[in-house]
Every structure is written in C-alpha cells, then in structure tokens.
Amino acid sequence: MSLYDTYKCVAASMEDDKPKLFRQLDEHIDWDSLIPARFYLAFYRNIGRPRKYPLVAFLKSLVLQKIFGYVNDSVLLVTLRHSREMRNFCGFEKVPDAAKLTRFKQDFLPYIMEVFERLVELTEPICREMDAELAGSLIYDTTGIESYVAENNPKFFSAKLRQAKLMTKTNPDTDPYRAVYGLLPDYAAANSAVKQQYINGHFCYAQKAGILTNGLGIVRRIAFFR
C-alpha cells in the first residue's frame, strides 16, 4: 500500500470502524520511534515508586483527543472510561484522573512538543503523495488559542457582570452588559501573554500564535507570540 492508500484507509476507519482505526494506527505508527530517549529518561526517572501509567499511554490518548476533536480533557477521560477498545489501544489498565493528565502535560510540555514535531515529519511524505504541489506550498496566518485560565470561566464573567449591575443603582442609564467589558482585565492573572481578544465570534482570553500550514490545510508548525 502507498502512504496515500494508508491515509485513506485510516480516514475511513475513523468514520466506520473505531477498533479498526486503532489497529491501523498501531500498524503504521512506530510509537517508540516517535518518543525521544530523553523523554523516556525524564518520565521514568527515579521518583521513589514505579509509574502507574505508561508514557506511551498518555501520548496515545493525546493523539486520539486530537483525532476525535475532544476539546476538553474531561470528554476524553469519560470516553476512555466507557470504551474498552480505546483503553486497550492506549494501554491504560485504569483511566487516570484529570489532575494526572493535566500534570503530565504541564511537566513534560517541551518533550510533548518534540513528539508532535516528529509526527509532522511522519506526515510530510503522505502529504506529498496526495498532492506534491499543495504540499510544497506554505501558508502563514495568525490565530488566537483560548487558554485554560480563570478569566475564561463563565463564573468569572458572571461575577464581573454582578459588579456592573450594581453600577446601575447609582447610574440608571448605564447598560451593565456594555459596562462589564470595562471591568474585565486586559490579560490573565496567571499569564500576561494570555490577553482579552475577540476570537471565533466571542470575547475570551487567548494567546496569539502564528500557524503555518501547507496547501492541503495540514498544520506544519505553531509558534506562540511572546
């Protein structure tokens, strides 16, 4: 099979046969080669007790999260708990809680970035077989990636809205739904790079980034602005 045929087979499996998709991923992706040796060393370093969850299991779950478009970690974890096939594919005997998944992403962020950069290298020959001209084209654009900060919690906005409504008692002509935006901070308290922006039809706190795709629309690189 050519790389393009493999791609089409995997894409069809996503729609029609999820267990087949897992077999295709394991058959065509050498997971061990994607993980740098220094990632293994950092993950399995002496911490006083053995790791309960394998490194490759965390990485496979993150790949599935992107494939199936699970925006929140909670959706991924719920699906893992209810899908034996998905748990077996990842290698989880027991599904980790949300805190462990979050800690994994925070503690090993540079290594995870390197794994996904290797995935870019893996997909490049597939893109070129699909359409060499489009694969050889690069398109740059800016975007904003919504961050997991307290300011994006609806409760934060509700608290500010209550403050704005209190203002109407002294100034009845004030529209609280307009005034509330004057009470919102310009950037998140946890990270000054996460700023208030208008993204995808709504105001939120997001970090600006540059995104590089090929002519097929497949992401080649994402770099955050500082």
Side-chain angles (χ1 to χ4, degrees):
M1 295 176 66
S2 68
L3 286 172
Y4 183 41
D5 290 335
T6 301
Y7 165 80
K8 291 193 295 183
C9 188
V10 170
S13 298
M14 287 177 59
E15 300 294 332
D16 305 325
D17 190 345
K18 296 301 188 297
K20 184 179 178 182
L21 168 64
F22 302 151
R23 292 194 299 271
Q24 290 280 342
L25 291 175
D26 271 338
E27 180 181 350
H28 297 289
I29 297 178
D30 184 356
W31 297 98
D32 290 334
S33 68
L34 288 175
I35 305 173
R38 63 194 189 99
F39 196 172
Y40 278 110
L41 292 174
F43 185 81
Y44 289 108
R45 66 188 176 190
N46 186 11
I47 58 173
R49 60 184 183 278
R51 288 281 187 182
K52 187 176 182 180
Y53 306 101
L55 170 58
V56 69
F58 278 115
L59 292 175
K60 283 185 174 182
S61 68
L62 295 181
V63 170
L64 290 183
Q65 183 177 18
K66 298 304 178 185
I67 289 177
F68 295 131
Y70 299 148
V71 178
N72 300 319
D73 291 345
S74 58
V75 178
L76 170 66
L77 295 173
V78 168
T79 307
L80 280 169
R81 292 189 183 99
H82 290 85
S83 173
R84 178 174 54 83
E85 293 87 354
M86 187 179 290
R87 287 197 307 274
N88 291 342
F89 166 74
C90 292
F92 285 126
E93 293 185 5
K94 181 182 178 182
V95 179
D97 57 34
K100 285 186 175 59
L101 184 58
T102 299
R103 195 177 305 117
F104 171 77
K105 291 191 288 187
Q106 290 176 342
D107 293 345
F108 302 104
L109 177 60
Y111 304 103
I112 296 172
M113 288 177 60
E114 189 172 343
V115 170
F116 278 92
E117 286 172 357
R118 292 192 178 193
L119 279 173
V120 170
E121 297 175 2
L122 178 69
T123 57
E124 184 63 21
I126 300 175
C127 293
R128 293 195 174 276
E129 189 165 352
M130 291 170 63
D131 192 312
E133 183 177 355
L134 291 178
S137 303
L138 292 178
I139 302 170
Y140 176 80
D141 197 4
T142 56
T143 186
I145 298 180
E146 195 167 346
S147 304
Y148 292 101
V149 293
E151 288 79 3
N152 278 330
N153 191 317
K155 293 181 180 178
F156 180 86
F157 183 84
S158 297
K160 295 297 182 182
L161 181 59
R162 286 195 295 270
Q163 293 181 29
K165 288 181 177 179
L166 289 175
M167 295 169 57
T168 62
K169 293 183 177 181
T170 56
N171 188 356
D173 295 331
T174 301
D175 184 349
Y177 293 96
R178 291 185 178 180
V180 67
Y181 289 102
L183 300 176
L184 295 175
D186 292 332
Y187 54 84
N191 186 349
S192 59
V194 179
K195 299 179 180 180
Q196 184 186 163
Q197 301 181 55
Y198 188 77
I199 302 292
N200 295 329
H202 69 287
F203 284 99
C204 66
Y205 288 82
Q207 187 169 356
K208 281 190 175 181
I211 183 169
L212 193 66
T213 66
N214 60 21
L216 295 166
I218 299 176
V219 177
R220 303 287 84 188
R221 178 73 175 174
I222 298 177
F224 289 97
F225 297 157
R226 296 185 182 275

